[in-house]
Amino acid sequence: MDDRLTEDTMDAEEGVADTDFAAPVPLLDPRTGQVRGSSAAARQRRVAAVVAAGRLAHAGWRALTPRERSRRLDRLAGLIEEHAERYVAAERAGTGKPFHEAAGEVENAADLFRFYAWAARTQSSPAAGGLVAGHESWVRWEPLGVAAVVVPWNYPLMMAAWRCAPAVAAGNAVVVKPAETTPDSLLLLAEHAREALGDGVVQTLPGDRDTGRLLVAADVDLIAFTGSAVAGAEVAARAGTRRVSLELGGNSPVVVLPDAPEDTWKELAEATTYNAGQSCAVPARVITLRENHASVVAHLTGAMREREAGRHFGPLNNADQAARYDRIVARSAAKVSAGGQLAPAEGEEGGYWRAARVLSELPDDDPAVVEEVFGPLLTVQAAESVDAAVALANGVPQALAASVWTRDIAAGLDLAARLNAGEAWLNCHLVQTAELPHGGRGSSGHGTDLSTLALYEYQRPKTITARVRLTPRFG
């Protein structure tokens, strides 16, 4: 992922003038490569004002009962559904996603807010009661305060929902900073959040990388960041003692055994090209046994060639990402490279389109293997045994997601358990729902998105113990 706070965005704070806004950020349409408008770039005074408004809103928001917060979150979900067409148009403007992808993600975002509307009313605590003689104890879960949420350009609305919905359900106020290329849908979300939740509970702070850096340095109590490992380390360093939740990308291994189901190739091709491969959990590194390597390459090549950029999936998001993708492919030592077709619509030939591609017969340390490619590309490696396949799968620093493909369910479940990943699938990939947690290990970060477990990212426990057996003052 590339809209991230990078080293140069985290430079000395003295270099940013104490103003409200910098020069507007030009917005490009990734389908055409042409300028489509501009967006404000918030600076120090604006960032401070937005955070202060969040601080003010938090006092009233946390005082609401879980029931009332739940009702308001449900209303926000309803507004997203009522205005789905506007959200789809906003998502497509900044990402170039096909209609069906954008529509599905808007639906998922509404579902997440509705899920956390219910979760706001759930309670879970460690042991409580008479744990010390003559005393009663219990645990309160309290919100942290104002959460800074920094999200990337690959799923603008959905990543914001992953972070904002549990944070707000837990009683926090949120300031969300979208990627500089994709502010559209989050500006709309802020509008509807104001209507459903009240002023200042969820605010959108559009801008560039300096805006993100200023928000991280502001008077916030928690930073939820989705981006690169390098940028995540910088965020964590600047956070000091404040809570940090990091989702830092992936490089998903896909272990395909000789008895893989017949639809494996179609399923993997569709998952790999979803969102043009710009997903942290996308299939990336296919690992076979030596005996089925040739057939897997042939089947995957055929399936990927059926996925046309412009017809089945969208473009890469921006010029920097397209250039990075091209560099990785050019540096690869793969002896076999098979690509699909481009089919952009009339007038969109200048967009950041990249064809689906399969690379094989490449070294284990190939750039396309060890780096997160973030595009519609699969590498295929051969292992001499299942144990060697597991070693290859676990041989990169990222550890976010993985999948196993076999008709032997018992063997598949055993392999899934051996893979170093926060989420593993068997005979499927990218299958997610609000009820199931998602999170990384290693350089993929730490923290939990989705499920009721995500509420704990945005809360802290307070133990209260009361002495209930008082000694009489007079006999």
Side-chain angles (χ1 to χ4, degrees):
M1 303 176 165
D2 264 274
D3 174 86
R4 320 192 183 197
L5 300 171
T6 56
E7 298 99 321
D8 56 342
T9 72
M10 311 289 283
D11 285 341
E13 297 172 14
E14 294 80 5
V16 179
D18 186 18
T19 58
D20 288 308
F21 296 98
V25 177
L27 299 177
L28 302 182
D29 185 338
R31 294 166 291 193
T32 65
Q34 300 300 309
V35 175
R36 63 183 181 86
S38 63
S39 176
R43 286 296 181 262
Q44 183 69 53
R45 286 202 296 251
R46 177 60 179 167
V47 172
V50 169
V51 171
R55 183 75 59 196
L56 183 64
H58 172 247
W61 180 252
R62 70 170 295 174
L64 296 176
T65 63
R67 179 182 183 183
E68 182 56 34
R69 288 203 299 269
S70 176
R71 287 177 172 176
R72 297 191 188 192
L73 279 166
D74 188 69
R75 175 58 180 147
L76 178 55
L79 286 172
I80 294 172
E81 291 169 336
E82 290 171 29
H83 298 276
E85 290 186 4
R86 293 177 64 192
Y87 278 99
V88 169
E91 284 287 278
R92 297 192 71 202
T95 65
K97 295 175 187 283
F99 179 87
H100 70 277
E101 287 187 8
E105 289 164 23
V106 170
E107 181 180 352
N108 284 338
D111 179 67
L112 277 164
F113 279 104
R114 185 157 285 122
F115 173 82
Y116 284 105
W118 163 81
R121 303 182 69 174
T122 64
Q123 298 290 328
S124 177
S125 297
L131 306 178
V132 179
H135 297 74
E136 286 289 328
S137 302
W138 61 96
V139 176
R140 291 169 51 94
W141 284 99
E142 300 180 340
L144 280 80
V146 179
V149 170
V150 181
V151 295
W153 42 253
N154 56 334
Y155 297 107
L157 179 63
M158 200 163 68
M159 289 295 97
W162 278 30
R163 296 296 200 169
C164 295
V168 173
N172 301 278
V174 171
V175 178
V176 56
K177 192 271 176 190
E180 62 185 83
T181 61
T182 53
D184 310 73
S185 57
L186 297 195
L187 289 169
L188 187 57
L189 178 67
E191 174 188 327
H192 290 140
R194 187 181 309 112
E195 179 179 343
L197 309 181
D199 288 341
V201 178
V202 173
Q203 300 176 88
T204 293
L205 188 70
D208 56 13
R209 292 170 173 176
D210 280 331
T211 306
R213 176 182 56 77
L214 289 167
L215 179 59
V216 167
D219 181 26
V220 296
D221 303 289
L222 160 75
I223 301 152
F225 177 80
T226 303
S228 73
V230 170
E234 294 285 347
V235 168
R238 288 182 175 269
T241 59
R242 293 174 294 169
R243 179 85 62 87
V244 178
S245 179
L246 302 173
E247 203 268 66
L248 305 178
N251 192 1
S252 302
V254 177
V255 180
V256 180
L257 298 183
D259 64 343
E262 292 181 3
D263 64 351
T264 297
W265 333 112
K266 175 178 179 292
E267 293 290 325
L268 283 176
E270 290 182 359
T272 301
T273 56
Y274 184 84
N275 200 33
Q278 298 169 120
S279 171
C280 295
V282 72
R285 301 178 292 125
V286 175
I287 301 167
T288 73
L289 300 185
R290 183 67 61 187
E291 63 191 89
N292 66 322
H293 179 260
S295 65
V296 167
V297 171
H299 284 306
L300 281 178
T301 299
M304 292 283 274
R305 280 177 172 162
E306 292 180 4
R307 305 287 295 172
E308 295 184 346
R311 180 170 294 118
H312 299 112
F313 60 95
L316 299 185
N317 182 261
N318 55 73
D320 288 344
Q321 175 60 17
R324 178 181 177 276
Y325 174 86
D326 292 342
R327 284 196 301 271
I328 292 174
V329 173
R331 288 164 49 208
S332 174
K335 295 179 180 179
V336 177
S337 175
Q341 300 297 314
L342 300 179
E346 184 177 353
E348 296 183 349
E349 295 82 1
Y352 308 121
W353 304 97
R354 295 297 183 272
R357 183 171 297 277
V358 176
L359 300 179
S360 61
E361 296 186 29
L362 70 178
D364 293 343
D365 62 352
D366 194 87
V369 172
V370 299
E371 297 184 36
E372 183 186 21
V373 175
F374 225 57
L377 181 146
L378 283 173
T379 62
V380 187
Q381 299 168 270
E384 300 302 327
S385 65
V386 171
D387 287 344
V390 172
L392 281 177
N394 294 340
V396 298
Q398 306 94 338
L400 182 66
S403 63
V404 178
W405 299 76
T406 175
R407 288 184 174 88
D408 187 334
I409 301 301
L413 290 173
D414 176 69
L415 264 178
R418 296 172 64 188
L419 296 178
N420 184 27
E423 186 167 11
W425 294 282
L426 177 56
N427 296 330
C428 57
H429 204 109
L430 288 184
V431 177
Q432 295 172 315
T433 181
E435 291 86 349
L436 295 174
H438 172 83
R441 303 172 177 181
S443 68
S444 290
H446 57 75
T448 300
D449 289 316
L450 303 178
S451 82
T452 56
L453 297 178
L455 292 171
Y456 300 117
E457 296 288 295
Y458 307 95
Q459 296 175 313
R460 56 191 166 197
K462 175 187 286 182
T463 297
I464 298 178
T465 297
R467 183 163 61 95
V468 296
R469 296 181 188 171
L470 301 181
T471 303
R473 293 182 61 190
F474 305 102

